[in-house]
Amino acid sequence: MSTSTNNLIRLDDAPLNKFHIKIAGLTFGAHFTDGYIIGVIGFALTLIQPQMGLTHLWVGLIGSSALIGLFLGSLLLGWISDYIGRQKIFVTSFIIITLGSALQFFADTPLELFLCRVLLGIGLGGDYSVGHTMLAEFAPRKHRGVLLGSFSVIWTFGYVAASFVGFYMQSIGPDAWRIMLASSALPAFLILILRIGTPESPRWLISKGRKEEALAIVQKHVGANVMLDDEMVESTKKRSFMALFSKDMRKRTAFNSLFFVCLVIPYFAIYTFLPSILNLMGLSENFGTDLLLNVILIVGAVLGIWFTIIFSRRGFLIYSFIFLSVMLVLLSVLPTSASFLMIVVFAGFTLIMSAVSNLVGVFPAESFPTEIRSLGVGFATSMSRLGSAMGTFLLPITTASFGIQFSTMGLAVILIIGTIVSIAWAPETKNLTLSEAAKDVERLKKVALKGEK
């Protein structure tokens, strides 16, 4: 029986169903794995450094190695997925992650470990580009911000899980770092198995002129009464890396790259080396401190979902940048003797940094049209990981040479730059369809803000 025309709805307005949750869950798995990989290296390095006799240079290189891989993977695999499809990279990325994770167990030199982590970073980078894109292209606009923003919560759970694993395994023996690092292969392999058989993005299929296939996927997984008419205009547009820097897109590209960079440089620089930084600040690093900060990270990530629902995307980002800038300036000028005040300030920084990190999964996926969405998300992610890799590499060197307060002030300057960029260029994408959100039209911003109840 044919579906009545009166009952037809757009993909952006389809009700949330089990398939949306499944795609979200499969995508969240990458973020759990990423958080785990980033979180566990700080603990592993405390064992690796004396065993391998690592210099500050090698500590920085190994600490930033996965981020270097993320830069390469998100740029290259994101670009490839706009040509060959989302689903192929969706699966291939976790083959790379599983392999890179397992190979860490057998690393005997700093160079071997560095290369293994670059490899798994390449897989994570590709998955960041395609995972965000896949979910954005299936998700209804009413739930898109929450689903995309939830990436940060899952990442935080992965990071916290790594903290507990690292804390308890440090006492096992000098080679415990091998098990710590290789253990990320277990969740990666599980996600790989579950991803086999996932469908292709219907929006990507339409952009390739394959309307019948796209409609079949939507009707099977989303609903028999779902139509795709508002996406058809995208099929005639050209795909090109230079499209990111066209007149219509260059401001979006610059904004997404710069705000992403300015958030993640302090985040990764501080939390990759959290045990060492707490000691340098004069704060004791123990189970109680770790538990407190981990609880704050989780609370902040959940709080970020709520903020994404009740506030405009633009306002949430700008005011978070201002708050974080003030907190890091305070940390850079407070004396180490003011330990209680430093804990309060650092806790406030951790809470809001965790909350606003939700937006790194939202803005890029909503800012680019279908034909260059993976490329755009991949480019913004790659720039963020290049920046965070540099910050993570330089932090142990600058703190050793100039002290923690100098390094903290430098990170505060980066957050101030992010504030300026966001005030100047941040769009408002809330309450828009995915096609509307990708257009840089001032009128659409007013529509979005007007639609907030």
Side-chain angles (χ1 to χ4, degrees), residues 42 90 92 105 119 133 174 186 217 261 275 285 289 335 400 405 427 445:
F90 200 57
T92 302
F105 184 86
L119 178 64
T133 300
L186 297 176
I217 288 173
V261 166
E285 197 278 316
T289 305
Q405 290 182 319
K445 297 179 185 179

Side-chain angles (χ1 to χ4, degrees), residues 340-406:
F340 177 77
L341 187 56
M342 289 187 74
I343 290 173
V344 171
V345 172
F346 193 72
F349 173 85
T350 300
L351 183 74
I352 300 303
M353 175 60 84
S354 182
V356 74
S357 293
N358 288 27
L359 291 181
V360 303
V362 178
F363 265 122
E366 292 183 333
S367 294
F368 298 98
T370 298
E371 65 276 3
I372 58 168
R373 184 168 289 120
S374 277
L375 177 60
V377 173
F379 183 80
T381 303
S382 68
M383 292 300 101
S384 75
R385 272 25 184 193
L386 176 63
S388 49
M390 292 174 61
T392 305
F393 168 69
L394 291 173
L395 187 68
I397 298 174
T398 57
T399 52
S401 302
F402 304 105
I404 186 64
Q405 290 182 319
F406 176 88

Side-chain angles (χ1 to χ4, degrees), residues 29 32 62 69 121 124 135 150 160 192 195 237 243 265-266 275 320 340 379 433 452:
F32 179 90
I62 293 174
L124 285 169
L135 186 55
S150 297
V160 170
L192 169 62
R195 283 190 174 188
K237 296 181 181 178
I265 286 180
S320 295
F340 177 77
F379 183 80
T433 68
E452 294 178 17

